[in-house]
Amino acid sequence: MNVAEIRKSALEDVKKAKNVKALEVIRVKYLGRKDGELTKILRSLKDLSVAERKEIGPAANELRGDLEEAFSKKLKEFSASSKRGVVGIDITMPGKKIAVGHLHPLTIIENRIKEIFNSLNFSVVEGPEAETDYYNFDALNIPANHPARDMWDTFWIDSKKLLRTHTSPMQIRYMEKHQPPFQIIVPGRVFRFEATDASHEINFHQVEGLMVGERVTLANFKYVITEFFRQFFGPGTHVRFRPSYFPFVEPGLEVDVMLNGNWLEVMGAGMVHPKVFDAVRYNPRKIRGFAFGMGLERLAMIKYKIPDIRLFYSGDLRFTNQF
Ligand code: PHE
């Protein structure tokens, strides 16, 4: 390579150098003490004729100065950018967020309900989603042709089997196999053959509650439920009990909570009807109990101010990612 060629290729190499290490390799290639391209020329000057030396000497020396300047300029560029991190990467730039999974709002609500009732000594049990009309209706004092069956629009599988319209059938299943005293909750999916709108879905979730013993009274119910809602919605929450009707309780109640100045209905409940105890061969003269049922979606909608029940099953990440 002659001086002009070295100038061209060395300056180009310096321009392309990606880091300090690459720059050093280039420096050695052109200015290295042993085999540097320019070093070789400078070293050979003394062997040249006077005329040649006069022509090449100044050009070679000038190039040496220019190259040294180019190297130190490039080095400064690197050290400036290394203050920001690895060459070419701005470490002050916000990183890419890695999306991690999280719980569905209904799962969060269900876990919270279980936690509160566990602290009140209730155990959690679950039951089948496909039921017989016996467990869903008859044993709960709702015989065939009883007008109360209209309270639950039903998906029938055949003339005897159905998708449970509430978690109450688990009251019967549990009492058939256990003796009082006990207190349980039953979270689970339920189904209603209804038109959907902002507050109705064909499938949703309930949590059933049942406490049975020899001295269980309505006062116990009021205490447990007030305590539950105060833990769930906050310590000052007002709870109201209204008379209502369900065939499997007597008296039947509805429970409201006051939130932002409005009474909101959140639960059906009552003292277990003697006919229900009959169905599971408990002695209604000795045994008392209270039962309640509440909708998970409704509680989640109130707690999180969710306007439409259909959002829970939309699979829309813009919705679920908010929780
Ligand atoms: N099973 C009732 C419903 O779905 C709620 C309820 C449960 C009422 C227990 C009273 C006692 O509407």
Side-chain angles (χ1 to χ4, degrees), residues 152 165-168 171 192 206 208-209 246 248-249 253 268-270 291-294:
W152 297 274
T165 60
H166 49 181
T167 40
S168 301
Q171 291 186 29
R192 301 241 176 124
Q206 286 187 333
E208 191 83 6
F246 300 94
F248 35 93
V249 286
L253 312 168
F292 58 85
M294 55 188 159

Side-chain angles (χ1 to χ4, degrees), residues 299-313:
L299 289 182
M301 287 169 81
I302 294 170
K303 186 150 186 159
Y304 295 131
K305 301 191 168 59
I306 297 167
D308 194 317
I309 193 171
R310 291 166 292 196
L311 288 165
F312 289 109
Y313 315 104

